[in-house]
Amino acid sequence: MTVKPGERKLPELFRPGRIGRFATRNLIKYGACCVSNYNERDGRISKRELARTRIIAGTGCGMITNQGAYPDPLGEGKAYFRQVAIHDDRFLPEFEEIAGYIHDEGAVAIQQILHAGRYGGIDLGYCIQPSIVPQTLPHFRPPREMSVADIRAVVDQHATAAKRAIRAGFDGTEVTSFMGYLLANFNSRFTNQRTDAYGGSIENRGRFMRELIDGIKQATPDHPLIIRLNGAELMDRWGGNTEDECFELMQQAVDCGVDMISVTVGWQEAPESSIGRDIAPGHWNYLAARAKKLFPNTLIAFGNRLPDPRMANECIAKGEFDFWEVCRPLLADPELVHKAAEDRLDEVRRCVGSLNCLSRLFRDLPYTCTMNPALGHEVEPEYQIRPAAVKKRILVVGAGPAGLECAITAAKRGHTVVVLDKGDRIGGNLVAYAKLDLARSEDLSSIVSHYEVMTRKLGVEIRFNTEATPKLMRGLLHQFDVAVVAAGARIDRARLAGVEGAGRMLDAIDVAHGRVATGREVVVVGAGKIGLVVAESLAQAGAKVTIVEEDKRIAGDVMPSFKWRHSAWVEELGIETLTQTRVQRVTASGVDVVSEKGGERHVPADTVIAATPRLPNQQLFHDFEWMIDELHGCGDSLVPRGLDAAIHEGYRLGCRL
Amino acid sequence: MGAIEPGVEPLDAAAAGHWQVVFDRSAGLFAGLADGSRMGLVARSALGAVGGRHAAGVAAMLAGAAGPRMRAFEAREGAIEVRESTYSGYARAGVEILFAVDDAALARMRGLAADSVLGALKLALRTGDAMFYVFRTKYELQDAGYEDFLDTLGLAFLGACR
Ligand SMILES: Cc1cc2nc3c(=O)[nH]c(=O)nc-3n(C[C@H](O)[C@H](O)[C@H](O)COP(=O)(O)O)c2cc1C
Ligand code: SF4
């Protein structure tokens, strides 16, 4: 077999491996990242899911873990609205199909069995737990304590499910305690407060896990069993396990003869981040390294918030773990492993840690990915990049994410694309926000770099410092078949018309781009994401910042899973927030505000920034209406929203032009 | 203010008055709360929510020992009334939301101006000095009008892998 150029550069990652009696072609494991909410409500795998798993099978990973399926007929183990079930033979045909896809692609097939415990019973009025410890997140169900008979039944259900998976053609199985599921509930001091043989000492708390391992091993003796265990729960301050205890529990699993430990981090309800954008890639690698050091004879898989194959290659070289377990990076770019093998890493669409995927699962919606608009739409032609039947000349106005996504998608289909932008570089406002972002600037700027690389490789022409106007368009008449307006949005200054001295206010977008200077005492009017990003970055740089917001709450337009992060930053940075408050007057010394209850106050400031809601830039729709054959729009210039909508709409439009 | 007795949320009139002012100052957050909605606050040490001690606490309660005292915050006509109550286990707490706060954090809150107490509670929740339990589903809590308050405390209203 010929070695590809990227494989030579990442020799550890692309080295063949082995689990039990099964050989893997490389040391990359597709992590169980596939609870998708695409399936039937009774747990049967849907056509949409099958199409998705076909893509997963083709990712090039040496080992592929199929989504966590719940093992019990009642659904006490069911965590997600449309989660897959494996408690009955009637589900076998689809599992067989998936195992077939994985084998066809030359990978080892692992089926995960996921009993959600504390986070389960999603269709029931309760969940089951080792002890009655109420929920801290209202999404989940009130608890019922498991009897010893219940425990035995659940162990049996797991063993039967494992047998079923093997009958369907899977090579091995995996059980998971990721993010606080049943296994984690027994292991944890927080949720296991039993006084019988299953609670109390760490030996007793680990009994359920040991019985689970024994049960599955006896049911499927010739097949590997993988266990996902927390290296850190991040629950210790609430009475959960310490990191040391987590490793003691791993020791118990090793002593029971598991074939691989997949090290994970965090619980759903943990008060801190584990895999969000504010966690630097590689942050948790030390947990895997500790596991490898303690258990040199057991395979260790790891990958939480480790999105870069180069870093993974290095970790394997240093002996920190044996398999790179990837999840979200392969949602964002299913071609990641192939691009790495072909030395085309510059073309990778990186997972930016936005957690749009998981946020949607908790709204009982199918998951989607900010960076991969085709995810979950694999059977729909409207989402496929196919050669265009008629090759067109396309003019895109605006080099932000919506315009560029549309441009590269259309170019991939064979169209000729020219992009105009009034600025002198691509990325639009995203460049500015990326620079100011406190979470991880590199994540957002990687999107801009991706567009830089792809427009270059696809021959998309970009004309900078060129404002699209009717005059310019008249000069371009008949040179293009299609125009796409992706001109973004602007701060709606008209909303401030009633404010005396509004002319003194700076525009948040100008501030974000660094086009205007700001002082030491700043008032930001508007606490949506733009206002917050600007306020936080100025406070970080040492300014005293106050936010004034008419609404009851800040971060109204921020994704649910990231609102808390902004609230925390605002607090940590000492930013004062005046909600349900309006600006009346801007003067040389600051702003006069009035609260909903009528309380008036002067807030001293040398800089006042308008970050009120945005207005779409739609004038060009009217200007160009009679000048071009096809006129379309996408992104914020239709309705101001955010990055997800921009990328997804740009892509969908690019697919159908 | 009286000294803090370990494990017991001080229930003297001054402390109750302090909490009443806290809620009165933030009345806007509770204006939409359905009448009869109730939250509880107990000292975490008394609750036995510390790993390994919960079962003993429950057993003692079932055996008839007096439960720890609980401060109850009850919604009435758009405002919160602070009352005294007894905490008798999760199942019978009679509250929708329960805060279990470390003694030191409770003492800190008592020393703060009323305007700063909810901010301190929020911080305590973030740092793990306070725990938070819910006894209703998110839809029930939303219907009861809790969303603003929970959001202000920075609590993810939905399950959140983060
Ligand atoms: C949409 C989604 C679904 C997931 N489903 C599962 C699952 O079924 N079982 C599991 O153990 N972990 C699941 N995970 C966790 C991942 O396997 C992984 O541990 C986590 O995303 C961190 O790794 P990453 O940084 O590579 O994404 C899921 C994660 C995501 C984002
Ligand atoms: S939605 Fe965000 S976090 Fe999830 S895979 Fe896509 S880019 Fe990564």
Side-chain angles (χ1 to χ4, degrees):
Chain A
M1 221 167 62
T2 52
V3 178
K4 295 179 182 153
E7 293 176 342
R8 256 194 301 275
K9 288 190 175 169
L10 303 170
E12 301 296 334
L13 211 51
F14 287 103
R15 193 155 47 79
R18 174 164 290 283
I19 179 163
R21 59 194 169 87
F22 300 93
T24 65
R25 68 160 163 250
N26 56 37
L27 301 183
I28 308 172
K29 175 179 189 276
Y30 189 101
C33 184
C34 10
V35 168
S36 58
N37 270 346
Y38 293 163
N39 299 289
E40 309 302 339
R41 288 281 284 129
D42 70 349
R44 183 181 279 277
I45 293 169
S46 67
K47 290 235 168 352
R48 185 177 185 186
E49 184 72 48
L50 287 174
R52 171 82 202 124
T53 45
R54 219 177 197 147
I55 301 286
I56 293 171
T59 49
C61 299
M63 190 189 307
I64 290 186
T65 324
N66 189 37
Q67 65 196 290
Y70 63 94
D72 67 299
L74 274 180
E76 287 171 337
K78 182 177 182 182
Y80 301 94
F81 199 66
R82 293 177 184 276
Q83 192 183 335
V84 168
I86 190 165
H87 56 76
D88 196 289
D89 281 354
R90 73 176 191 274
F91 301 122
L92 269 173
E94 287 82 8
F95 282 103
E96 282 170 5
E97 202 149 332
I98 292 172
Y101 296 158
I102 298 174
H103 288 149
D104 286 351
E105 296 288 347
V108 170
I110 303 292
Q111 176 59 49
Q112 187 182 79
I113 302 162
L114 189 168
H115 190 303
R118 182 168 170 77
Y119 304 147
I122 201 80
D123 295 332
L124 309 172
Y126 67 96
C127 70
I128 56 170
Q129 293 189 27
S131 316
I132 295 187
V133 174
Q135 302 291 0
T136 65
L137 293 173
H139 183 73
F140 301 115
R141 306 292 177 260
R144 278 192 194 165
E145 183 167 311
M146 291 170 77
S147 66
V148 171
D150 292 336
I151 295 175
R152 302 237 158 95
V154 168
V155 170
D156 276 353
Q157 286 160 356
H158 276 77
T160 312
K163 237 180 174 159
R164 190 167 285 121
I166 300 301
R167 268 171 52 214
F170 282 86
D171 303 310
T173 53
E174 176 174 295
V175 283
T176 181
S177 72
F178 177 70
M179 286 284 167
Y181 297 136
L182 186 64
L183 180 52
N185 302 154
F186 271 92
N187 284 346
S188 162
R189 274 195 300 143
F190 171 56
T191 39
N192 185 346
Q193 298 177 359
R194 300 175 74 98
T195 49
D196 63 5
Y198 291 93
S201 65
I202 195 160
E203 181 68 16
N204 278 359
R205 298 204 306 277
R207 187 177 308 279
F208 172 72
M209 172 178 71
R210 297 195 304 275
E211 289 182 0
L212 204 59
I213 296 171
D214 283 350
I216 296 176
K217 281 250 147 205
Q218 280 179 37
T220 60
D222 303 324
H223 298 269
L225 172 63
I226 302 170
I227 188 162
R228 297 199 98 184
L229 288 173
N230 277 123
E233 291 177 349
L234 309 179
M235 292 289 287
D236 38 336
R237 282 181 302 185
W238 286 5
N241 290 332
T242 60
E243 278 184 25
D244 287 346
E245 286 173 307
C246 289
F247 283 89
E248 274 184 62
L249 286 155
M250 274 186 211
Q251 178 72 61
Q252 293 185 22
V254 168
D255 294 343
C256 287
V258 288
D259 298 87
M260 175 186 271
I261 293 182
S262 152
V263 179
T264 62
V265 186
W267 277 36
Q268 305 273 16
E269 57 203 300
E272 40 192 311
S273 304
S274 52
I275 57 172
R277 235 156 46 73
D278 49 338
I279 299 294
H283 180 83
W284 303 113
N285 293 3
Y286 74 95
L287 293 169
R290 179 170 175 187
K292 191 67 247 178
K293 200 161 172 194
L294 286 172
F295 318 118
N297 301 321
T298 302
L299 291 173
I300 302 294
F302 182 74
N304 281 215
R305 199 64 181 128
L306 199 178
D308 187 343
R310 287 163 291 212
M311 188 190 273
N313 186 68
E314 246 173 66
C315 291
I316 295 176
K318 283 192 281 183
E320 291 183 348
F321 51 79
D322 303 292
F323 275 77
W324 179 37
E325 183 165 41
V326 213
C327 170
R328 290 169 302 158
L330 282 165
L331 294 187
D333 191 343
E335 291 288 307
L336 168 67
V337 175
H338 299 299
K339 288 176 182 172
E342 289 155 16
D343 198 18
R344 294 190 289 125
L345 278 175
D346 60 339
E347 291 180 24
V348 168
R349 288 173 82 96
R350 271 171 50 175
C351 161
V352 294
S354 59
L355 286 180
N356 183 32
C357 43
L358 283 163
S359 297
R360 285 178 56 98
L361 292 186
F362 289 109
R363 297 239 167 193
D364 299 337
L365 291 170
Y367 74 174
T368 56
C369 171
T370 303
M371 296 305 295
N372 179 3
L375 183 124
H377 297 285
E378 284 81 7
V379 283
E380 296 165 55
E382 294 81 0
Y383 284 80
Q384 308 310 313
I385 298 181
R386 299 191 170 161
V390 179
K391 304 274 189 281
K392 299 176 187 171
R393 294 158 303 165
I394 298 174
L395 181 74
V396 177
V397 179
L404 291 175
E405 188 67 36
C406 179
I408 63 171
T409 308
K412 283 178 191 167
R413 297 181 52 226
H415 294 306
T416 303
V417 186
V418 174
V419 180
L420 307 185
D421 198 276
K422 61 181 179 196
D424 59 3
R425 59 163 304 172
I426 70 167
N429 293 335
L430 182 61
V431 176
Y433 304 142
K435 233 176 7 211
L436 304 185
D437 178 44
L438 294 196
R440 276 193 55 74
S441 206
E442 298 92 301
D443 279 330
L444 295 183
S445 46
S446 76
I447 303 173
V448 180
S449 318
H450 176 72
Y451 290 132
E452 267 160 4
V453 170
M454 295 314 293
T455 46
R456 190 167 15 89
K457 290 201 173 182
L458 292 164
V460 172
E461 183 192 341
I462 306 187
R463 298 182 193 165
F464 292 115
N465 303 310
T466 308
E467 179 148 17
T469 58
K471 183 171 170 216
L472 179 105
M473 202 58 190
R474 276 193 293 278
L476 297 175
L477 276 184
H478 309 301
Q479 292 182 28
F480 292 95
D481 308 300
V482 181
V484 173
V485 178
R490 60 187 186 281
I491 298 291
D492 185 2
R493 302 288 292 230
R495 281 178 179 253
L496 300 163
V499 175
E500 205 182 308
R504 291 177 186 271
M505 295 168 99
L506 302 182
D507 188 299
I509 295 176
D510 288 335
V511 174
H513 279 279
R515 294 194 276 252
V516 289
T518 53
R520 309 293 307 159
E521 258 188 321
V522 179
V523 169
V524 177
V525 182
K529 57 190 159 198
I530 296 177
L532 286 168
V533 167
V534 167
E536 288 154 4
S537 69
L538 292 175
Q540 171 98 327
K544 180 177 181 308
V545 180
T546 306
I547 294 178
V548 179
E549 167 61 51
E550 285 190 19
D551 213 343
K552 266 198 243 175
R553 291 176 257 179
I554 65 165
D557 60 352
V558 174
M559 171 163 341
S561 62
F562 214 62
K563 277 183 202 270
W564 76 278
R565 185 63 272 186
H566 281 291
S567 311
W569 278 326
V570 163
E571 219 158 81
E572 286 157 20
L573 292 163
I575 297 173
E576 188 183 2
T577 48
L578 306 176
T579 49
Q580 294 183 286
T581 301
R582 245 175 342 95
V583 176
Q584 285 181 303
R585 190 171 306 108
V586 183
T587 64
S589 65
V591 293
D592 296 331
V593 298
V594 59
S595 73
E596 209 174 68
K597 288 182 207 141
E600 295 193 7
R601 182 177 155 187
H602 178 74
V603 187
D606 52 26
T607 308
V608 184
I609 299 170
T612 42
R614 289 169 302 153
L615 200 63
N617 290 325
Q618 294 181 336
Q619 186 53 39
L620 294 178
F621 286 104
H622 307 293
D623 293 345
F624 292 177
E625 197 178 354
W626 292 96
M627 292 187 173
I628 190 116
D629 182 10
E630 284 182 52
L631 180 60
H632 304 272
C634 59
D636 285 353
S637 65
L638 295 181
V639 180
R641 285 146 300 165
L643 190 61
D644 280 72
I647 294 177
H648 285 225
E649 277 177 15
Y651 177 84
R652 282 200 299 268
L653 184 56
C655 283
R656 71 183 165 86
L657 286 175
Chain B
M1 276 173 215
I4 307 278
E5 201 185 314
V8 181
E9 152 69 350
L11 294 177
D12 55 68
H18 190 235
W19 278 108
Q20 190 63 64
V21 180
V22 170
F23 284 101
D24 289 349
R25 292 273 168 89
S26 307
L29 288 174
F30 307 99
L33 211 52
D35 271 4
S37 303
R38 239 161 79 104
M39 294 174 276
L41 183 142
V42 290
R44 190 162 148 195
S45 52
L47 181 71
V50 184
R53 286 213 268 128
H54 172 75
V58 171
M61 258 179 254
L62 292 177
R69 283 181 289 176
M70 173 175 82
R71 199 170 294 286
F73 307 128
E74 194 167 318
R76 278 278 154 258
E77 293 172 7
I80 296 287
E81 284 175 12
V82 177
R83 294 165 186 246
E84 309 316 332
S85 182
T86 302
Y87 173 76
S88 44
Y90 294 127
R92 281 171 289 151
V95 293
E96 280 105 37
I97 291 169
L98 181 72
F99 297 101
V101 188
D102 282 355
D103 294 336
L106 272 177
R108 260 196 317 276
M109 285 179 207
R110 289 196 60 205
L112 291 172
D115 282 341
S116 311
V117 170
L118 290 184
L121 179 59
K122 177 175 176 175
L123 194 66
L125 288 163
R126 282 253 303 131
T127 55
D129 293 339
M131 281 286 310
F132 158 88
Y133 297 105
V134 289
F135 299 85
R136 296 284 180 274
T137 66
K138 69 178 170 193
Y139 297 121
E140 287 166 340
L141 292 175
Q142 270 166 342
D143 289 347
Y146 274 109
E147 197 164 1
D148 282 349
F149 177 53
L150 297 186
D151 210 80
T152 301
L153 288 180
L155 297 165
F157 208 77
L158 297 147
C161 271
R162 44 191 191 193

